[in-house]
Amino acid sequence: MSRTTDASGIAIDLSIACAAWKRALPSAASIARAAALAALGQSGKKIGAAELSLVLADDATVRDLNARWRAKDMPTNVLAFASDEPPGKGKPVLLGDVVLAYQTVAREAKEQEKPLADHLRHLVIHGVLHLLGYDHVKAVPAKRMEALETRILASLGVADPYDLREELSRG
């Protein structure tokens, strides 16, 4: 696990628990960190000093977490576990954990004909926004979250992932 802290006091602990991430995308760690910082910086929420954990895992790990915490016995691309720990006086806010499943993320990127790096960026941003309270269960908050994801991704030079979804559904 490695930790980086930016000038604003945001600490990111990153663990690559699945070697396939490094083989397929040697810059996965820096891509994930940059996406998380972009999400935090452009979320519209006042963050201040904070900590979060990013885990680049495999399908088996995510499937286990999904079964244990969400009663869904299957892998998914990203899980976000927001911390419910109140901030201590003078201590950073603990935001939570974002865990990504390599095999699912890689398969989706291939199916959607997009670079793995761009899909990783999108899903890290998506997970971090969940930690900040954004959700996509209902239509209006979903549109708000998607628009924010799209804007953050554009700032990183990544195309709107939802345009692709609409093209595929019309196809």
Side-chain angles (χ1 to χ4, degrees), residues 121-144:
R121 285 180 182 97
H122 178 206
L123 294 173
V124 168
I125 290 166
H126 184 85
V128 170
L129 291 178
H130 274 306
L131 297 183
L132 298 175
Y134 289 92
D135 206 355
H136 51 82
V137 174
K138 295 182 180 173
V140 171
K143 287 289 184 193
R144 212 174 289 134

Side-chain angles (χ1 to χ4, degrees), residues 47-162:
I47 307 294
E51 293 182 14
L52 73 103
S53 170
L54 296 174
V55 181
L56 302 181
D58 59 12
D59 274 16
T61 300
V62 171
R63 180 182 183 157
D64 180 57
L65 291 169
N66 209 18
R68 190 174 331 157
W69 297 102
R70 299 179 66 228
K72 295 183 179 187
D73 189 15
M74 59 189 228
T76 187
N77 52 18
V78 61
L79 291 173
F81 298 99
S83 174
D84 58 1
E85 188 173 319
K89 188 174 183 177
K91 296 196 178 207
V93 174
L94 298 176
L95 296 174
D97 307 307
V98 176
V99 186
L100 295 104
Y102 174 76
Q103 293 87 345
T104 297
V105 174
R107 178 181 42 78
E108 289 174 348
K110 184 175 181 179
E111 288 170 357
Q112 295 170 21
E113 299 178 354
K114 63 174 80 167
L116 178 59
D118 288 353
H119 199 42
L120 172 60
R121 285 180 182 97
H122 178 206
L123 294 173
V124 168
I125 290 166
H126 184 85
V128 170
L129 291 178
H130 274 306
L131 297 183
L132 298 175
Y134 289 92
D135 206 355
H136 51 82
V137 174
K138 295 182 180 173
V140 171
K143 287 289 184 193
R144 212 174 289 134
M145 185 174 180
E146 288 177 7
L148 183 53
E149 289 174 14
T150 299
R151 189 169 69 245
I152 297 166
L153 285 165
S155 77
L156 298 172
V158 178
D160 180 351
Y162 298 106

Side-chain angles (χ1 to χ4, degrees), residues 111-114 146 159-171:
E111 288 170 357
Q112 295 170 21
E113 299 178 354
K114 63 174 80 167
E146 288 177 7
D160 180 351
Y162 298 106
D163 272 351
L164 177 63
R165 181 185 64 203
E166 289 170 15
E167 285 176 26
L168 292 173
S169 68
R170 287 193 297 258

